């Protein structure tokens, strides 16, 4: 099976760099599956899981926004944050979820609501990736 190099990079670190068979990302218009030879493109990503297929293994990464860039030689995901399942602290994500839910049930300004909604999405994404859904 042919492969391509997938790199997942955040401002803090390189989270992943391996030859893979396929990656499925959550773009703004829905899921996008990328296999070797995909046409070059750059597209924004949602907060959501990123699935990597390599041989018989599937790895899921919790990705927080950013972009995917499909190049001729490799695929690069540049995200504000990204964690492999093993790097996710579920208690921290649960606490972040509760904080966000409390803010959303209070009477904050619009800006606070948007911020809390995004925080809630990040926390739920981390919890789901950790659960291995
Ligand atoms: P918190 O309120 O717990 O900080 P957050 O959603 O605001 O959560 P981010 O700003 O998205 O956190 O991330 C800040 C840094 O912390 C990033 O490096 C991210 O990978 C890491 N991080 C955030 N939450 C977790 C978690 N539950 N487990 C492991 N790393 C995490």
């Amino acid at each position: 099976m042919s492969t391509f190099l997938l790199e997942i990079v955040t401002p803090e670190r390189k989270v992943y760099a391996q030859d893979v068979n396929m990656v499925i990302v959550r773009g703004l218009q829905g899921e996008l599956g990328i296999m070797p030879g995909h046409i070059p493109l750059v597209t924004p990503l949602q907060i959501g899981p990123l699935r990597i297929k390599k041989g018989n293994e599937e790895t899921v990464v919790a990705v927080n926004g950013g972009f995917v860039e499909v190049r001729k030689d490799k695929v690069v995901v540049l995200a504000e944050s990204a964690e492999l399942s093993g790097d996710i602290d579920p208690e921290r994500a649960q606490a972040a979820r509760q904080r966000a839910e409390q803010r959303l049930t209070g009477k904050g300004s619009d800006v606070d609501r948007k911020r809390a909604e995004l925080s809630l999405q990040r926390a739920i994404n981390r919890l789901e990736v950790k659960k291995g859904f």
Side-chain angles (χ1 to χ4, degrees), residues 12-13 64 80-83 87-90 92-93 96 99 119 122-123 126:
E12 287 169 8
R13 64 196 179 104
N64 170 17
E80 282 171 42
S81 67
E83 302 95 33
D87 293 331
I88 294 173
D89 174 349
R92 177 172 167 184
R99 275 199 308 278
S119 171
R122 289 194 299 274
R126 286 177 177 127

Side-chain angles (χ1 to χ4, degrees), residues 100-120:
E101 282 172 347
Q102 275 162 12
R103 286 190 185 117
L104 287 169
T105 50
K107 290 186 196 147
S109 68
D110 286 349
V111 177
D112 284 341
R113 283 194 73 78
K114 188 72 207 156
R115 206 170 136 187
E117 276 161 14
L118 290 172
S119 171
L120 182 59

Side-chain angles (χ1 to χ4, degrees), residues 17-18 43 47 58 60-61 68 71 77 82 89 93 96-97 105 107 109-110 121 131:
Q18 285 192 38
T43 194
I47 294 170
E58 179 169 307
V60 187
V61 181
V68 61
R71 299 195 206 167
V77 171
D89 174 349
R97 180 185 186 152
T105 50
K107 290 186 196 147
S109 68
D110 286 349
Q121 280 182 36
K131 258 194 328 207

Side-chain angles (χ1 to χ4, degrees), residues 41-76:
L41 65 83
V42 177
T43 194
L45 298 178
Q46 295 187 44
I47 294 170
L50 174 151
R51 291 169 194 283
I52 301 165
K53 295 191 199 272
K54 181 180 166 98
N56 294 327
E57 278 171 42
E58 179 169 307
T59 304
V60 187
V61 181
V63 167
N64 170 17
F67 292 85
V68 61
E69 180 184 15
V70 182
R71 299 195 206 167
K72 278 203 171 128
D73 58 331
K74 63 180 172 180
V75 173
V76 181

